[in-house]
Amino acid sequence: MLTQFATRRLEDQLELYDEWADRFEDLPLYFMTFHGQQNIKTVLDTMQHAVYMYDITHVVVDNLQFMMGHEQLSADRLAAQDFIVGAFRKFATDNTCHITLVIHPRKEDDEKELQTASIFGSAKVAPPGPQ
């Protein structure tokens, strides 16, 4: 994130590292310290606390598949994904908050364009197609 913010490879210009790190530190960013699969209620409770305490207006969740875990069966994963997306939509509406949800598509051949079906689950999480 720091490299993107600085728009340069700081590894090649270490003398600039402290300056860019100080600038980055001033950004109004807050991180949830979750690693691995999390219960959706725990994530939503943490987001609710951030909205209340810090007036958060935009949350980035990275990523849906990792949050869901890997042990669910295919049909259960579809239902779980729909439930989680619905919970995030409700949270966004109830809290006047934007949510960016990172969803990684399944691996496709390099020659093949990504489709709605490339996202594991339903079209609920895909952008609308051409009109």
Side-chain angles (χ1 to χ4, degrees):
M1 289 176 68
L2 184 57
T3 298
Q4 290 175 326
F5 179 65
T7 66
R8 65 191 72 200
R9 291 179 47 86
L10 294 173
E11 299 89 0
D12 300 336
Q13 302 173 354
L14 292 177
E15 69 280 1
L16 298 176
Y17 181 85
D18 287 339
E19 174 189 344
W20 282 103
D22 289 343
R23 287 184 185 181
F24 187 81
E25 195 173 68
D26 290 337
L27 294 174
L29 296 175
Y30 303 92
F31 294 89
M32 294 184 276
T33 56
F34 296 140
H35 301 283
Q37 183 179 358
Q38 295 296 321
N39 177 301
I40 185 66
K41 183 178 180 339
T42 302
V43 174
L44 291 172
D45 288 347
T46 302
M47 289 167 46
Q48 184 66 57
H49 176 77
V51 167
Y52 176 76
M53 292 297 294
Y54 306 111
D55 294 325
I56 299 297
T57 59
H58 190 163
V59 176
V60 178
V61 179
D62 186 4
N63 72 51
L64 177 63
Q65 292 89 333
F66 193 67
M67 194 176 99
M68 289 174 49
H70 304 287
E71 71 284 345
Q72 295 171 318
L73 298 174
S74 178
D76 292 335
R77 286 182 63 82
L78 295 174
Q81 179 175 299
D82 283 350
F83 175 79
I84 290 169
V85 169
F88 283 143
R89 285 182 175 195
K90 181 174 177 3
F91 180 90
T93 300
D94 293 349
N95 292 280
T96 317
C97 181
H98 296 279
I99 297 178
T100 299
L101 182 58
V102 177
I103 302 173
H104 297 284
R106 69 178 176 214
K107 302 292 183 218
E108 301 280 11
D109 292 331
D110 288 341
E111 301 83 36
K112 186 176 177 184
E113 283 191 33
L114 295 178
Q115 305 290 323
T116 301
S118 302
I119 300 172
F120 186 83
S122 73
K124 239 181 170 179
V125 296
Q131 302 298 322

